[in-house]
Every structure is written in C-alpha cells, then in structure tokens.
Amino acid sequence: MNDRRERRAGFEALYARESDPWDFETSDYESEKREATIAALEGRRFEACFEPGCSTGVLTKALCDRCECLTAMDVAATPLERARRRLVSCTGVTIRRGDMVEDWPRGSFDLIVLSEVLYFLSPEEVAAVARLTHNSLRPGGWCLLVNWTGKNDLPVSGDECVDIFRRAGNWTCGYARQGAQYRIDRFAPDCTSK
C-alpha cells in the first residue's frame, strides 16, 4: 500500500514540474507509436474500452474514434485535468482517478489498452493486472500491451512486463510488432481458460 501511495505522490510531483513529462504531444517517437497502436486495432470498433494510465489523454483521444464508451483512468489528478480539456468534444468518455491495481472498474470490456504503464508496477502487481484484465475482457475482446523496450530504472523492463503478463493469464497472442524502441503485443483470453 505504501508503494502505491508513493507512486501516486511521485506522479503528482512529476506533473507539477512538467505538464507533458514524456512529450506525448510533441515527440515523433510518441506520434509514431500512437499510430502503430491504433493500427494494431485493425480498423475494429469497440463497444467498451478501458485505458488505465491515460495521463493527459493524447492516446485516449485517438482511441475515441474506435470506441463507443471509453473509461480513462490515471493515478494522478493533475494530468487528468488536461485530459478533461483535451477530450471535452469526445462523447462516451468517462475520466476517473484511480490506481489500476486497487481501483479496477467493474464491468467488462472488449478492449483494454495498457500503454507504457506496467513497468511502473512491481512484478506481483503486473501479474495482478493481467488477471484483472483477463477476467474483465468479454469473449472476443482484446488487450493491447504497449511497452518501451529501452533500459530503465523501474521495477521491471518492458520485455519483462510482457513475459509476466503472459504467464499470469491464459492468453492467445494475435499480434506482435517490434518497433525500434517499443513493442506492441495484442492478447485475447484463451476461451478454454475462462
């Protein structure tokens, strides 16, 4: 619990210092990765989507075109204010503050997008999120994992996140793309495991 409070306080402090700490709005890397993330959806439309770790809502805005209802969540309040302003014209979007491990929303989804959020968690928390995701996906639903693959000083690397996530649930991998500095993996629950 202390780690989660510290994580929340750390993100609040980060956004207090910088409004766009990862350059979501201006970085060529972020723009290219966002386009690749949307391309991994293969033109499909979704009834209900969940995006934890939405930050300032840049990817959320791109997802809005693919989803009827979208729940966007972040652990920090400061970036959510920017997300609200960015998404004011989007219909069907619910923005809420919460920790993805403790505050996972009720209900089911046909798309869950975990974009560059898992390596901020402990290995045990990544496994817990994998189980929550597996239990929340509707039949035929997809989970997109987007992970930076460079070195970091976080609890796990992007590649380790994918391995932990895969082992913690019974998944079928339907898509994988390796970018220069990131990877995108699309999973669906193995129907025999539910």
Side-chain angles (χ1 to χ4, degrees), residues 108-124:
S108 61
F109 304 94
D110 48 358
L111 177 63
I112 297 174
V113 179
L114 299 165
S115 181
E116 299 212 46
V117 294
L118 291 176
Y119 32 69
F120 293 102
L121 307 177
S122 70
E124 296 78 20

Side-chain angles (χ1 to χ4, degrees), residues 137-175:
L137 278 173
R138 296 172 179 171
W142 288 349
C143 174
L144 276 190
L145 300 185
V146 183
N147 286 286
W148 184 63
T149 54
K151 291 183 180 180
N152 69 43
D153 59 356
L154 298 168
V156 289
S157 72
D159 290 326
E160 289 169 329
C161 287
V162 176
D163 291 340
I164 294 166
F165 193 92
R166 185 178 312 189
R167 285 194 312 267
N170 294 311
W171 298 104
T172 300
C173 184
Y175 176 94

Side-chain angles (χ1 to χ4, degrees), residues 18-192:
E18 293 184 64
S19 62
D20 187 14
W22 288 281
D23 299 322
F24 292 130
E25 298 171 12
T26 59
S27 160
D28 289 341
Y29 163 79
E30 290 295 339
S31 178
E32 193 271 327
K33 181 182 55 141
R34 194 165 42 255
E35 288 175 15
T37 300
I38 298 302
L41 301 177
E42 298 179 349
R44 182 174 164 187
R45 286 201 53 81
F46 300 88
E47 185 180 325
C49 173
F50 176 43
E51 183 201 5
C54 69
S55 184
T56 61
V58 178
L59 176 58
T60 314
K61 186 157 179 109
L63 290 169
C64 285
D65 294 336
R66 302 282 180 184
C67 305
E68 297 299 318
C69 296
L70 195 159
T71 301
M73 184 170 77
D74 201 273
V75 70
T78 304
L80 290 179
E81 289 308 313
R82 290 193 71 193
R84 282 185 182 88
R85 289 192 300 272
R86 182 182 316 282
L87 302 168
V88 71
S89 65
C90 297
T91 59
V93 177
T94 302
I95 299 172
R96 54 184 283 204
R97 185 176 182 199
D99 180 285
M100 75 177 100
V101 179
E102 291 180 332
D103 304 310
W104 194 269
R106 295 179 188 265
S108 61
F109 304 94
D110 48 358
L111 177 63
I112 297 174
V113 179
L114 299 165
S115 181
E116 299 212 46
V117 294
L118 291 176
Y119 32 69
F120 293 102
L121 307 177
S122 70
E124 296 78 20
E125 289 172 320
V126 173
V129 167
R131 290 187 291 274
L132 288 165
T133 300
H134 194 277
N135 293 337
S136 297
L137 278 173
R138 296 172 179 171
W142 288 349
C143 174
L144 276 190
L145 300 185
V146 183
N147 286 286
W148 184 63
T149 54
K151 291 183 180 180
N152 69 43
D153 59 356
L154 298 168
V156 289
S157 72
D159 290 326
E160 289 169 329
C161 287
V162 176
D163 291 340
I164 294 166
F165 193 92
R166 185 178 312 189
R167 285 194 312 267
N170 294 311
W171 298 104
T172 300
C173 184
Y175 176 94
R177 175 185 172 166
Q178 184 72 48
Q181 296 177 300
Y182 67 89
R183 63 185 288 177
I184 299 174
D185 299 89
R186 191 181 72 212
F187 293 109
D190 182 339
C191 294
T192 61

